[in-house]
Amino acid sequence: MIKRSVQILLAVFFLAAGLLHFRLDDAFAQIVPPVLPFPVGIVWITGLMELAFAAALIARWRLPLTGLLLSAYLLAVLPANIYMAMARIPLGDTAMSPAALWIRVALQFPLIALVLWSAGSPPFRKTPDTDG
């Protein structure tokens, strides 16, 4: 029950974030590291990915695989969050302190752990030879 509740909360979070990628695509494009081409295109693709992850979490589609893929995605976008903190880029119209920007980076790791745990992905996957 708790894991399912977390899955739903994560789905709502990624649904909202995915939709914001299209509504605020110029703001999101600001945090794409400049070495990457087509920042708006990257924002649209990542928005679609977040919508797909939200749908997969709601539908319980191969949850361990979804958890692994979503965790890999969160690691893949980590450089954008680091770039945002290093360049002190505001979150849309909201200026954030350097500490808040770096806390946002650090929160990626507990978020990844939460995704893996709630989806029953390795290392949290139960196997027949484990207790609980």
Side-chain angles (χ1 to χ4, degrees):
M1 180 75 172
I2 293 173
K3 283 187 178 186
R4 184 64 187 147
S5 297
V6 171
Q7 292 164 10
I8 292 168
L9 286 173
L10 288 169
V12 169
F13 172 80
F14 284 104
L15 173 66
L19 292 172
L20 284 174
H21 277 67
F22 296 97
R23 179 141 165 54
L24 304 173
D25 56 352
D26 287 334
F28 277 90
Q30 297 294 316
I31 71 167
V32 175
V35 298
L36 297 175
F38 314 112
V40 173
I42 289 171
V43 168
W44 291 347
I45 290 168
T46 56
L48 286 173
M49 292 176 74
E50 291 187 8
L51 294 174
F53 287 128
L57 288 167
I58 290 294
R60 298 181 181 183
W61 182 82
R62 298 186 180 192
L63 280 174
L65 177 61
T66 295
L68 288 173
L69 293 174
L70 180 49
S71 296
Y73 167 81
L74 290 169
L75 286 173
V77 299
L78 184 60
N81 294 324
I82 293 170
Y83 173 68
M84 182 180 185
M86 291 177 64
R88 296 185 181 174
I89 298 170
L91 187 60
D93 292 334
T94 306
M96 297 175 69
S97 70
L101 290 167
W102 284 108
I103 288 169
R104 187 173 178 272
V105 170
L107 287 175
Q108 288 286 112
F109 300 101
L111 179 60
I112 290 168
L114 190 63
V115 165
L116 291 171
W117 172 79
S118 70
S121 304
F124 300 103
R125 186 170 189 163
K126 291 182 186 177
T127 59
D129 61 333
T130 61
D131 296 328

